[in-house]
Amino acid sequence: MQIKRAVFVSSLTGNQKFAGEGLPQIAIAGKSNVGKSSLINCLCNQGKLARVSSEPGKTRLVNIFRINDDFHLVDLPGYGYAKVSHGMQEDWGRMMDSYLSGSEHLCHIFHLVDIRHDPGQNDIQMQAWIQANDIPCTVIATKCDKVSRAQANRSIAVICRTLGVQPWDVIPCSSETKEGKDKILHRIDVILGKAEA
Ligand SMILES: Nc1nc2c(ncn2[C@@H]2O[C@H](COP(=O)(O)OP(=O)(O)O)[C@@H](O)[C@H]2O)c(=O)[nH]1
Ligand SMILES: [Mg+2]
């Protein structure tokens, strides 16, 4: 897939549903600061489409982008930012629940984890939730420019073991070097039924 057009559609806050004309939706989940916004910008070849923040916990809305006329990319609010208040964490949970439970067009989740760190408790919970809800998922191990290839392979093994996913469902990537970008775009084609796995 080549992303020719990517436009911001809207942000959801509370109990809004997003039908999006019935186009398939691919959501991006992961800890604050894992690289969700950077990945969106990298895939879409647009520097500032999704805001990239070096301050964790800033993206607290569900942000929706329309990609070509093919699908919607949904940037979910990051989890696990320790410094937010209890109330804010509850808001996060409600927002996720209301998006995820109301989204009949959600067909896949890209679950991002930082390749430099073992998955944490909230990554494990997120993945368990995805599996319990039977949502097809690809784990994207971000920031692979920060580790050697040998270290990346070791991390992928740990990710598979801790999250209970298969190696072919993990794609290492870097928004800096664009490593893994083609694989992710191909995965999107497969998800949308435009290519063979
Ligand atoms: N080295 C490196 N840094 C990255 C990569 N992706 C994101 N970052 C940095 O990590 C920080 C958080 O990125 P952001 O996309 O805002 O994360 P988000 O909170 O998940 O949306 C920023 O300082 C980015 O520049 C990557 O692939 N490689
Ligand atoms: Mg972000």
Side-chain angles (χ1 to χ4, degrees):
M1 132 127 13
Q2 229 192 327
I3 295 183
K4 298 201 176 107
R5 207 149 28 84
V7 289
F8 173 73
V9 176
S10 67
S11 295
L12 309 183
T13 46
N15 277 322
Q16 296 154 287
K17 305 278 177 243
F18 181 72
E21 297 157 55
L23 285 179
Q25 295 173 21
I26 299 176
I28 300 190
K31 214 176 259 182
S32 300
N33 225 31
V34 70
K36 295 180 295 301
S37 302
S38 304
L39 177 69
I40 292 173
N41 292 339
C42 168
L43 292 175
C44 299
N45 309 310
Q46 285 188 38
K48 288 185 204 152
L49 183 63
R51 192 151 35 98
V52 175
S53 158
S54 49
E55 187 185 325
K58 266 205 160 169
T59 327
R60 297 207 178 98
L61 302 170
V62 175
N63 294 311
I64 299 175
F65 304 89
R66 185 185 178 112
I67 308 301
N68 302 336
D69 287 316
D70 294 322
F71 69 104
H72 284 104
L73 200 55
V74 180
D75 188 10
L76 295 171
Y79 53 77
Y81 181 50
K83 281 187 192 150
V84 304
S85 67
H86 223 66
M88 201 92 104
Q89 293 195 16
E90 278 175 28
D91 285 347
W92 180 86
R94 262 199 297 276
M95 207 141 69
M96 290 286 280
D97 272 350
S98 88
Y99 169 70
L100 292 167
S101 60
S103 54
E104 54 181 302
H105 302 292
L106 175 65
C107 62
H108 203 92
I109 292 183
F110 286 152
H111 184 195
L112 273 54
V113 296
D114 189 321
I115 202 160
R116 297 170 300 173
H117 312 297
D118 291 354
Q121 207 49 49
N122 35 31
D123 296 314
I124 294 169
Q125 275 170 13
M126 182 77 224
Q127 183 58 222
W129 188 93
I130 292 168
Q131 291 179 15
N133 286 279
D134 252 333
I135 303 167
C137 175
T138 301
V139 172
I140 296 184
T142 63
K143 310 194 186 183
C144 74
D145 56 285
K146 297 269 202 184
V147 298
S148 68
R149 194 153 300 254
Q151 183 57 49
N153 288 333
R154 278 195 293 274
S155 298
I156 289 167
V158 173
I159 288 167
C160 288
R161 213 169 42 241
T162 7
L163 296 183
V165 297
Q166 300 298 331
W168 53 85
D169 285 326
V170 181
I171 301 176
C173 91
S174 164
S175 299
E176 296 277 320
T177 65
K178 318 274 186 242
E179 185 176 341
K181 178 177 174 179
D182 289 348
K183 277 196 181 154
I184 296 171
L185 290 172
H186 178 256
R187 181 62 62 112
I188 292 173
D189 278 333
V190 173
I191 293 164
L192 299 178
K194 293 175 189 284
E196 300 277 322

